[in-house]
Amino acid sequence: MGTRTVRLEDEDGKAAATRMPSFDSQSPISNILVAFSYTEGGTIQTYHVCDIGAFEHSAGFCLEDAVNLSGSDQAVVSDPLQIDTFNKAPTSFNINNQAETQRLLLEKGQKLNLVSISSGNTENWGESNMADASPRTDISTDADTEEKNQRFDRGQSAALVAYDSSDRSKDKMDQKMLRRLAQNREAARKSRLRKKAYVQQLESSRLKLTQFEQELQRARQQGIFISSSGDQTHSMSGNGAMTFDVEYARWLEEHNRQINELRSAVNSHASDTELRIIIDGVMAHYDEVFRLKSNAAKADVFHLLSGMWKTPAERCFLWLGGFRSSELLKLLANQLEPLTEQQLVGIGNLQQSSQQAEDALSQGMEALQQSLAETLSSGSLGSSGSSGNVANYMGQMAMAMGKLGTLEGFIRQADNLRQQTLQQMHRILTTRQSARALLAIHDYFSRLRALSSLWLARPRE
Amino acid sequence: MDAVRDLASKKAAVIFTRSSCCMCHSIKTLFYELGASPAIHELDHDANGREIERALRAQGYGSVPAVFIGGRYVGSAKDVISLHVDGSLKQMLMDAKAIWF
């Protein structure tokens, strides 16, 4: 902060210009700026002290005191608090004057109006310690200043008379002054501590807020519905995942219903025609889930890849956002007997083809991961110019973004593989065999889901 | 398109790719697994790359990978996988003498 020029007159009536010390942020007292308004003409001199813009650092004190000691243009005052500062830091202030003013103060026993100022967003830090102070007034505006000037004018002569005749009360004024100084220091210290505590509270709240936001996002990804007034992108990605979870749950319900219908039809030895109708319905329903997944891949590919829409045990076997066709065929092999020669070959070929396609897609995924890792790790790590680094960084990010975009394609082809495998299987098998196959597949996944429930409900210490 | 046809008929199996395309990598892998040795043309490293890519797109063949067997356009990744699952891909390769079993 800057300094203000103060004009003081010593006993000889000489004006002495001086500079006030710069602010010392250690002591709030020193942050108090002295602004003197100096009215010419006559015996009336008014000084008031203001704290300007130092509220963040100081206790927010402002002393208003207007003192006019005599009609002889005697030098006056700084506020008593600043005497402390002057004692600490050397200034260009005339030492003689300082001692003089100090003496004058103590002798004359001026009345101080200690004022608390509340600015913008700081509280009255020092309020509680001012109980002992003289009556408070708000910081004066120009109009107020005028008014106070007049007040002091009026009371001045009476005060002077009173002061001149009370040397006995000199000691009392001494003590009062010292006490007030001590109180002010104490108040300033306490306000500093309070402010520190407040700031620490704010910091920890901010940290907690970040943590909550992260938890919220994680919960959203798991499909828990949370109404948000947050930003658009968050709720949209949450909706993609959440929408799919809801749709998939509904799909599963319908699938279970159809399978139960199929099971009772098989158990009741229904005709092939009847079975075929139900089976076609099941196959068409499978097409539906792949359509749902296709939409979900566009909205939130990582949700599909995460497998959070499946139960834990199912997630164990997750491959590119779903089940492995080749594994499915392996577990069906025994249950489909008797198979004709042709069917055996067909199923064998299908198993091999799906395995090969899975391998090919897996290798493509690995290549993608490697490529992505290379993109993000390449480039200068602080060598060449900084502007070059920024361009590199942005280029890397752009490339990485492009690569991430291809993930959707992989999920799509993996689902394509699953769908084609199911359809080919259906083509190879007879109606009854297809029915048994579909029931077996459903039972297998049912058991996995039941296992997940058991696992989640298992007793833990 | 002539450039495309020209290249496509040079070998039994021809695949147009881009070096940065990982799905192309998958399809290439599948062909190698089947024992075929397709001719690979990386359009981003080929001299006529851009021209070929334009020609492919003009024909409505979409982007890479673009697979040709016996000089005929087979399709992109989706088509190749579908054909592979129902056994057609292998048959095509055998017919074009890209593989023998």
Side-chain angles (χ1 to χ4, degrees):
Chain A
M1 282 235 175
T3 61
R4 297 290 292 267
T5 306
V6 167
R7 243 187 130 226
L8 290 179
E9 288 188 344
D10 59 16
E11 269 185 323
D12 301 332
K14 275 200 296 206
T18 185
R19 286 207 166 270
M20 299 299 295
S22 315
F23 283 5
D24 167 18
S25 60
Q26 296 309 309
S27 161
I29 294 165
S30 61
N31 284 341
I32 294 169
L33 190 99
V34 177
F36 287 80
S37 79
Y38 202 82
T39 53
E40 296 278 357
T43 62
I44 298 157
Q45 295 153 13
T46 311
Y47 308 88
H48 64 268
V49 176
C50 278
D51 187 7
I52 297 173
F55 292 128
E56 295 118 58
H57 301 293
S58 77
F61 288 117
C62 175
L63 298 181
E64 157 138 355
D65 89 61
V67 172
N68 192 316
L69 289 182
S70 71
S72 61
D73 289 337
Q74 286 272 358
V76 205
V77 138
S78 32
D79 65 275
L81 295 186
Q82 280 183 318
I83 292 168
D84 220 16
T85 310
F86 294 159
N87 287 337
K88 285 189 211 147
T91 70
S92 56
F93 195 83
N94 189 323
I95 301 296
N96 288 338
N97 263 351
Q98 175 187 338
E100 181 67 14
T101 52
Q102 209 165 350
R103 188 175 57 78
L104 280 172
L105 259 178
L106 294 175
E107 280 179 355
K108 311 297 181 180
Q110 64 183 28
K111 230 170 188 258
L112 293 177
N113 287 330
L114 292 167
V115 177
S116 302
I117 299 156
S118 36
S119 78
N121 47 10
T122 58
E123 55 176 276
N124 282 334
W125 301 99
E127 229 167 26
S128 53
N129 283 326
M130 291 288 99
D132 202 27
S134 338
R136 284 180 222 135
T137 56
D138 289 326
I139 192 68
S140 56
T141 62
D142 282 343
D144 275 357
T145 309
E146 280 309 307
E147 202 245 305
K148 280 186 177 103
N149 288 347
Q150 286 160 22
R151 234 194 300 140
F152 272 102
D153 291 344
R154 272 181 263 118
Q156 169 202 312
S157 7
L160 277 175
V161 166
Y163 290 154
D164 279 341
S165 64
S166 66
D167 271 334
R168 281 167 300 167
S169 55
K170 172 186 169 182
D171 283 336
K172 256 205 279 176
M173 299 322 263
D174 228 330
Q175 284 174 7
K176 262 199 197 166
M177 212 57 59
L178 289 174
R179 197 158 40 118
R180 286 218 178 97
L181 285 175
Q183 280 170 353
N184 287 342
R185 273 197 296 273
E186 191 54 38
R189 193 178 68 84
K190 287 203 181 149
S191 86
R192 277 198 301 276
L193 291 175
R194 266 201 299 272
K195 183 188 162 192
K196 198 175 174 189
Y198 180 61
V199 167
Q200 277 174 356
Q201 207 181 27
L202 281 180
E203 292 282 302
S204 69
S205 296
R206 196 164 61 92
L207 203 65
K208 258 190 244 165
L209 186 66
T210 328
Q211 285 172 356
F212 279 138
E213 277 177 343
Q214 283 176 1
E215 268 187 59
L216 193 66
Q217 191 161 13
R218 242 176 278 136
R220 271 219 201 97
Q221 281 179 350
Q222 294 184 27
I224 299 167
F225 179 75
I226 299 162
S227 71
S228 82
S229 52
D231 67 320
Q232 190 67 14
T233 41
H234 278 295
S235 52
M236 274 177 73
S237 70
N239 278 343
M242 192 179 66
T243 306
F244 175 72
D245 287 358
V246 166
E247 287 174 342
Y248 180 70
R250 229 181 279 145
W251 180 89
L252 202 54
E253 241 180 82
E254 173 63 17
H255 178 68
N256 290 338
R257 194 197 61 77
Q258 284 179 335
I259 292 294
N260 284 338
E261 197 186 335
L262 183 63
R263 196 189 313 276
S264 42
V266 167
N267 289 341
S268 64
H269 307 287
S271 68
D272 272 17
T273 329
E274 284 171 329
L275 284 179
R276 198 170 300 130
I277 295 172
I278 304 175
I279 290 171
D280 285 348
V282 174
M283 292 306 288
H285 198 57
Y286 265 120
D287 289 343
E288 180 64 19
V289 82
F290 290 116
R291 197 186 60 80
L292 291 177
K293 286 183 82 182
S294 172
N295 294 340
K298 275 201 206 82
D300 190 348
V301 67
F302 288 101
H303 178 65
L304 281 184
L305 278 173
S306 75
M308 291 308 290
W309 52 284
K310 285 195 179 233
T311 63
E314 287 174 293
R315 233 175 282 151
C316 225
F317 299 90
L318 196 75
W319 174 79
L320 274 185
F323 61 86
R324 263 187 201 270
S325 312
S326 58
E327 287 301 314
L328 211 64
L329 290 170
K330 269 190 218 157
L331 68 93
L332 282 180
N334 304 333
Q335 314 204 22
L336 294 176
E337 290 166 358
L339 291 170
T340 68
E341 195 67 34
Q342 199 181 21
Q343 283 179 326
L344 273 171
V345 171
I347 294 290
N349 285 344
L350 182 59
Q351 208 172 316
Q352 190 188 39
S353 304
S354 57
Q355 184 78 61
Q356 286 167 337
E358 280 166 18
D359 287 345
L361 287 175
S362 294
Q363 288 197 35
M365 268 298 275
E366 266 179 50
L368 178 60
Q369 279 180 331
Q370 213 164 330
S371 172
L372 191 59
E374 267 169 35
T375 302
L376 290 176
S377 61
S378 72
S380 50
L381 294 171
S383 47
S384 51
S386 61
S387 63
N389 278 354
V390 170
N392 273 349
Y393 182 83
M394 285 166 64
Q396 279 179 32
M397 283 298 150
M399 234 188 347
M401 282 289 283
K403 293 190 200 285
L404 275 190
T406 63
L407 271 175
E408 190 197 327
F410 276 95
I411 290 241
R412 201 177 295 284
Q413 293 315 317
D415 277 344
N416 180 33
L417 178 59
R418 292 174 193 118
Q419 191 173 18
Q420 296 297 324
T421 307
L422 279 172
Q423 285 174 358
Q424 176 70 0
M425 180 199 77
H426 178 55
R427 262 177 254 136
I428 294 173
L429 300 176
T430 66
T431 307
R432 252 162 228 291
Q433 285 166 332
S434 284
R436 286 211 320 265
L438 290 174
L439 289 174
I441 291 170
H442 173 267
D443 288 349
Y444 176 70
F445 284 119
S446 258
R447 279 183 215 141
L448 272 179
R449 286 192 281 270
L451 181 61
S452 299
S453 300
L454 283 174
W455 176 257
L456 289 171
R458 77 192 185 283
R460 279 179 268 191
E461 291 97 76
Chain B
M1 194 54 208
D2 280 337
V4 175
R5 284 208 195 286
D6 197 42
L7 286 169
S9 51
K10 275 216 167 67
K11 235 188 156 185
V14 175
I15 310 179
F16 295 97
T17 68
R18 228 181 286 124
S19 59
S20 59
C21 167
C22 294
M23 187 55 76
C24 298
H25 183 92
S26 284
I27 299 302
K28 274 193 288 178
T29 305
L30 185 62
F31 272 70
Y32 295 146
E33 255 183 79
L34 294 173
S37 331
I40 309 290
H41 299 284
E42 285 189 343
L43 296 183
D44 51 341
H45 291 155
D46 194 295
N48 302 332
R50 216 168 271 175
E51 186 194 324
I52 295 172
E53 199 160 355
R54 244 182 288 125
L56 286 171
R57 216 157 280 174
Q59 286 290 311
Y61 291 159
S63 187
V64 294
V67 177
F68 289 77
I69 299 181
R72 273 195 358 238
Y73 179 69
V74 166
S76 186
K78 180 174 193 202
D79 306 300
V80 169
I81 288 174
S82 305
L83 290 168
H84 182 54
V85 168
D86 69 9
S88 313
L89 187 70
K90 217 171 182 184
Q91 194 58 52
M92 280 187 214
L93 286 170
M94 285 201 276
D95 292 345
K97 308 271 200 308
I99 58 177
W100 284 270
F101 48 88

